[in-house]
């Protein structure tokens, strides 16, 4: 059974920084892409950033220039700088996983979520 284990959330003042980590553990053939989503109270879950196995990245407009996603094998990081109160949300790690080489499709997996709170 593959699990995504997140860490790094917490409370920070506006303008501060946090770094989130998410490591995939278990047995699988391939995992691609990996990314971060977030869900603020009363809002829908939204894309923050994704990164492919070859380093291709995609960011939400709201975080461009402030957040940086990176990946080291099966661990994905989200460096969050210049944090704003509107970045307050539960951040979820996401990954598309192929368990075996002969599998036709990738399956989507979510982490348990880590809370980021930015105070003004």
């Amino acid at each position: 059974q593959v699990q995504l284990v997140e860490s790094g959330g917490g409370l920070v003042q506006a303008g501060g920084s946090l770094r989130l980590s998410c490591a995939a553990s278990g047995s699988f053939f391939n995992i691609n892409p990996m990314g971060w989503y977030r869900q603020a109270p009363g809002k829908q879950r939204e894309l923050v950033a994704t990164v492919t196995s070859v380093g291709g990245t995609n960011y939400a407009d709201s975080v461009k220039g402030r957040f940086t996603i990176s990946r080291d094998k099966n661990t994905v990081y989200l460096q969050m700088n210049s944090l704003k109160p509107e970045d307050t949300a539960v951040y979820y790690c996401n990954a598309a996983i192929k368990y075996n080489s002969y599998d036709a499709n990738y399956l989507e997996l979510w982490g348990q979520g880590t809370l980021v709170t930015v105070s003004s």
Side-chain angles (χ1 to χ4, degrees), residues 42-85:
K43 295 188 176 182
Q44 290 188 332
R45 192 173 297 188
E46 63 177 5
L47 169 73
V48 177
T50 60
V51 59
T52 69
S53 59
V54 294
T57 58
N58 179 47
Y59 293 93
D61 288 342
S62 59
V63 307
K64 283 181 181 177
R66 300 188 298 122
F67 290 11
T68 302
I69 191 169
S70 61
R71 178 174 173 176
D72 180 11
K73 296 183 179 178
N74 299 318
T75 299
V76 63
Y77 305 94
L78 186 68
Q79 178 66 43
M80 303 185 293
N81 299 327
S82 302
L83 282 161
K84 304 176 181 179

Side-chain angles (χ1 to χ4, degrees), residues 90-103:
V90 177
Y91 284 69
Y92 295 93
C93 181
N94 175 271
I97 297 177
K98 185 178 282 192
Y99 287 89
N100 302 286
S101 60
Y102 49 79
D103 287 338

Side-chain angles (χ1 to χ4, degrees), residues 2 8 10 14 17 21 26 34 41 48 55 61 63-64 71 86 88 96 113 118:
V2 178
S17 299
S21 300
M34 299 184 78
V48 177
D61 288 342
V63 307
K64 283 181 181 177
R71 178 174 173 176
E86 50 264 43
T88 295
V118 184

Side-chain angles (χ1 to χ4, degrees), residues 5-41:
V5 180
E6 302 153 341
S7 61
L11 173 64
V12 64
Q13 288 188 331
S17 299
L18 281 175
R19 189 189 194 213
L20 306 182
S21 300
C22 171
S25 64
S27 178
F28 51 88
F29 173 71
N30 190 27
I31 181 168
N32 191 45
M34 299 184 78
W36 292 93
Y37 289 70
R38 67 186 181 186
Q39 187 166 17

